[in-house]
Amino acid sequence: MTAPLLDIVDLKKHFPVRRSAFGARRGVIRAVDGVSFQVEPGETLGLVGESGCGKSTVGRMILRLIEPSSGSIRFAGEDLLALEGEALRRRRADLQLIFQDPYGSLDPRQTVEQIVGEPLVIHGVGDRASRRERVLGLIERVGLGTDHLRRHPHEFSGGQRQRIGIARALALNPKLIVCDEAVSALDVSIQAQVVNLLKRLQRDIGLTYLFIAHDLAVVRHISTRVAVMYLGRIVELAPTAALFDKPLHPYTQALLSAIPRPKPEIKRGRVLLTGDVPSPMTPPSGCRFHTRCPLAFDRCRVEDPVTQNLGAGRSVACHLVRPGEAPPDIRRDM
Amino acid sequence: MPIRRLLRHRLFMTGLSLFVFVVAAAVAAEWIATQSPTRMNMRMRFAAPGDARFLLGTDAFGRDILARLAYGAQVSLRIGVMVVLFTGFFGTFFGAIAGYFRKLDNPVMRVMDAFMAFPAILLAIAIAAALGPSELNVVIALAAVYTPRTARIVRASVLVVREAEFVQAARVAGAGETRILLGHVLPNSLAPLIVQLTFIFAYSVLAEAVLSFLGVGPAPPTPTWGNMIADGRNFIREAPWITLMPGVAISITVLGLNLLGDGLRDVLDPRMKVASS
């Protein structure tokens, strides 16, 4: 196996919650609470989970937009968290982000040329003429044309804006792009176009993606491997096909059963989780999923399951998964 | 386009016409005035408006009120422009650093609050009186009074814009704080400022008249609207036009600027419909 491009170990982010102006600490939100994974060069790692499970926070910590509370992030062998100032800015060229909201992520006062060219200007790439040429190349690469260069973001549709955001992310020839819900805000038909654009770009220029989303169908389409997050932890990580064929963690099983099916007449047994996601301020004792898990037993309430490596790139954090035994199945056991 | 929407805004266009009228009077003062605004005609004291030589009449010293109004417009507009420039610069500076660099927020804004604790006109009178009567000192006094209010407004919109995703996008692109603040945050925070500055222009014209009236503005015989009202107040029964004419001039200017500001606010900043001082 080659060295991972991105190696994250025990990453945590705890946001302190203060009461009013007096600054008394009331508690902490454990938005991300011990996340570890690797991303191999050239692959797409899907990161899925419900709203508020911490997946966006993970993405933003990788880009140092949010400072982690603890843990380590190594990129191509280099400790990203040790970088400061100028070194950090230079390293940022290799890591880019595509935002969820194509309306908020483009400065309304800039033209497309300024938006896409800004990273080049900041990093002092080429002169004015060569930058212009590069911007034009990028714009064409994402399916827009020369006549769009002088326009402002408000003149474009959501899908076109997202393409502009992608062109900007590509400007500095990054190695890793974090797609934070990059297609979630788009219409379904536009989603497919943008996802296919991302796949084509990956094939053409060898990009690596961390694809954060809550839409499992999209994740299945684009990802090499998928990590499932729940309440600030990764509960299961597996190659895409394996995960979708045979989910091991009860939470993954519940998530997958919620995917709408093209043929509803074929009953696959939908499992409805009851209750809400517990507050990340006061996560449940033991396994974080036990309050909603239909298979929970005594041990789950007191002991936090460790992440077991099952081989073949699979890992899962559940007491019910034991080597050599049949995996848990929430459909059967209900 | 905002410009087309402004052209269709009737109140804005009314305000613009009034303001342009005052500006034209100030620019054309030399041609409007048939004689110097300070020249006295002792045989023509208290001439009523409609006089053949003095269209708007004369004051207690026989000075031409029309000439004094036109030159007074120059003073008022000059003070207004200077106050707007100073206030715009310092208000943006303090508001931007307070809103963007959170550590500076408290120190900067508490100083601004201290200034705002005094009633505006009282503080302006105190500063102008302390510095002595001159045009520049009026500008300094008014800028000192209006800068904190402007800083508040700039800070408020910087606080909103700094959280926008395009700011994070710029950071991911490698932009430093200066570039983000000057290139992305400020240009997107200026709409409320522009609106505010037109109101400050109007307040300045009014406040200049107040300061002149109280004797802490540009010293007589400089023709300012406030001086003219002060000169005429002893004869308000016998020759009401001496105070009435500059009063009308002030009203037209302030009304014009306020309509202008309202129109700009409707177009540029539709969220804040209620005016604040």
Side-chain angles (χ1 to χ4, degrees):
Chain A
M1 248 176 70
T2 49
L5 183 64
L6 185 69
D7 187 1
I8 291 177
V9 179
D10 201 25
L11 192 65
K12 289 184 184 174
K13 179 66 195 181
H14 296 174
F15 293 105
V17 182
R18 287 173 214 285
R19 192 208 307 263
S20 75
F22 297 104
R25 264 171 68 139
R26 199 166 48 146
V28 288
I29 289 188
R30 298 161 183 274
V32 177
D33 205 20
V35 162
S36 306
F37 61 85
Q38 282 100 40
V39 184
E40 307 296 334
E43 78 164 341
T44 300
L45 178 68
L47 190 58
V48 296
E50 285 167 278
S51 307
C53 72
K55 50 194 198 298
S56 285
T57 308
V58 169
R60 271 154 216 241
M61 281 194 281
I62 294 168
L63 288 145
R64 290 281 301 270
L65 289 173
I66 296 176
E67 289 299 314
S69 305
S70 68
S72 90
I73 303 174
R74 302 186 77 82
F75 179 79
E78 182 182 25
D79 184 1
L80 272 190
L81 299 181
L83 294 178
E84 283 305 331
E86 193 53 37
L88 174 64
R89 282 187 14 171
R90 266 199 309 270
R91 186 41 106 181
R92 278 210 164 116
D94 288 336
L95 295 148
Q96 287 296 311
L97 177 62
I98 297 173
F99 290 86
Q100 168 172 15
D101 176 11
Y103 292 87
S105 58
L106 306 176
D107 186 337
R109 296 195 173 261
Q110 290 187 312
T111 62
V112 170
E113 181 169 4
Q114 288 171 321
I115 291 169
V116 178
E118 183 167 32
L120 301 173
V121 175
I122 290 169
H123 288 267
V125 180
D127 56 14
R128 190 177 282 268
S130 69
R131 279 201 296 266
R132 201 190 165 91
E133 204 169 306
R134 172 126 180 85
V135 168
L136 189 57
L138 289 163
I139 277 293
E140 281 169 351
R141 180 145 230 165
V142 298
L144 298 172
T146 327
D147 52 324
H148 293 122
L149 283 179
R150 286 171 184 280
R151 303 222 198 135
H152 291 269
H154 70 262
E155 298 173 67
F156 294 93
S157 68
Q160 287 174 315
R161 284 161 175 252
Q162 203 57 304
R163 288 166 190 270
I164 297 167
I166 293 171
R168 170 176 59 191
L170 293 176
L172 294 168
N173 288 321
K175 297 191 178 85
L176 175 78
I177 297 186
V178 175
C179 306
D180 187 5
E181 304 270 11
V183 298
S184 308
L186 305 174
D187 285 349
V188 176
S189 58
I190 310 291
Q191 279 190 5
Q193 289 175 19
V194 173
V195 166
N196 288 334
L197 171 66
L198 289 172
K199 286 184 89 165
R200 193 167 64 242
L201 290 169
Q202 180 168 46
R203 203 179 51 228
D204 292 353
I205 39 189
L207 287 168
T208 306
Y209 292 132
L210 176 63
F211 196 87
I212 300 170
H214 60 260
D215 183 336
L216 292 161
V218 173
V219 168
R220 181 179 200 169
H221 184 61
I222 196 169
S223 304
T224 324
R225 294 186 302 145
V226 177
V228 180
M229 269 187 89
Y230 184 78
L231 263 187
R233 294 269 177 87
I234 290 182
V235 295
E236 181 165 6
L237 198 159
T240 307
L243 186 98
F244 280 84
D245 284 352
K246 206 173 149 200
L248 295 179
H249 196 281
Y251 179 64
T252 315
Q253 293 172 3
L255 267 190
L256 294 186
S257 81
I259 300 178
R261 313 218 167 261
K263 289 186 182 163
E265 58 271 23
I266 304 172
K267 290 267 192 294
R268 288 274 305 262
R270 167 116 201 255
V271 188
L272 283 174
L273 287 181
T274 51
D276 286 325
V277 185
S279 161
M281 243 171 78
T282 48
S285 61
C287 173
R288 288 170 174 236
F289 187 54
H290 86 252
T291 52
R292 299 169 78 198
C293 180
L295 307 180
F297 61 111
D298 292 343
R299 191 179 167 198
C300 304
R301 279 178 263 280
V302 288
E303 191 185 330
D304 202 357
V306 292
T307 305
Q308 334 168 34
N309 196 335
L310 305 175
R314 293 201 82 154
S315 60
V316 65
C318 179
H319 292 310
L320 286 169
V321 179
R322 299 184 195 96
E325 285 182 34
D329 187 338
I330 53 175
R331 285 188 296 262
R332 189 185 57 211
D333 291 354
M334 268 179 89
Chain B
M1 282 304 287
I3 290 175
R4 199 172 302 160
R5 280 175 60 204
L6 278 176
L7 291 179
R8 272 202 308 253
H9 197 288
R10 278 159 93 187
L11 286 177
F12 175 85
M13 291 312 287
T14 313
L16 187 66
S17 325
L18 291 174
F19 184 62
V20 166
F21 171 71
V22 175
V23 172
V27 170
E30 279 179 56
W31 296 281
I32 291 174
T34 48
Q35 59 172 51
S36 157
T38 50
R39 182 177 155 198
M40 301 184 195
N41 304 280
M42 280 312 176
R43 272 181 297 174
M44 290 296 293
R45 298 169 67 202
F46 302 113
D51 184 275
R53 264 179 75 197
F54 307 106
L55 193 61
L56 296 182
T58 60
D59 66 6
F61 299 102
R63 293 178 298 200
D64 183 5
I65 290 181
L66 179 62
R68 291 180 67 74
L69 275 188
Y71 280 97
Q74 288 187 346
V75 177
S76 287
L77 295 182
R78 204 158 51 220
I79 287 177
V81 168
M82 301 260 278
V83 171
V84 163
L85 288 179
F86 277 106
T87 311
F89 178 78
F90 289 108
T92 306
F93 177 76
F94 289 120
I97 62 170
Y100 191 72
F101 301 107
R102 299 319 311 277
K103 280 186 183 154
L104 293 175
D105 192 14
N106 253 316
V108 172
M109 291 318 289
R110 292 304 77 80
V111 173
M112 298 289 145
D113 284 347
F115 272 86
M116 293 212 302
F118 297 97
I121 199 69
L122 225 58
L123 184 60
I125 291 168
I127 297 175
L131 295 174
S134 85
E135 201 176 305
L136 180 65
N137 290 342
V138 169
V139 171
I140 293 172
L142 294 180
V145 169
Y146 293 130
T147 293
R149 288 158 175 78
T150 311
R152 275 238 102 110
I153 285 170
V154 173
R155 170 182 172 271
S157 62
V158 166
L159 281 178
V160 174
V161 176
R162 71 194 291 274
E163 301 300 330
E165 280 205 323
F166 61 78
V167 169
Q168 294 197 12
R171 194 159 284 141
V172 171
E177 301 300 330
T178 319
R179 186 184 184 93
I180 292 175
L181 180 56
L182 297 181
H184 295 281
V185 175
L186 268 187
N188 285 290
S189 318
L190 290 186
L193 175 72
I194 291 165
V195 174
Q196 172 74 1
L197 287 180
T198 54
F199 291 122
I200 282 181
F201 200 135
Y203 300 143
S204 303
V205 171
L206 206 54
E208 182 274 325
V210 171
L211 295 180
S212 293
F213 181 83
L214 294 174
V216 291
T222 313
T224 73
W225 295 344
N227 282 343
M228 292 171 76
I229 292 178
D231 290 344
R233 74 184 191 276
N234 292 327
F235 316 103
I236 199 158
R237 280 169 187 277
E238 302 80 17
W241 59 87
I242 303 178
T243 42
L244 188 64
M245 295 305 170
V248 169
I250 293 169
S251 304
I252 290 177
T253 314
V254 172
L255 176 68
L257 282 165
N258 279 337
L259 292 177
L260 212 69
D262 278 342
L264 279 173
R265 191 189 54 216
D266 286 351
V267 173
L268 292 179
D269 196 17
R271 279 164 306 165
M272 23 182 284
K273 277 281 183 188
V274 183
S276 61
S277 55

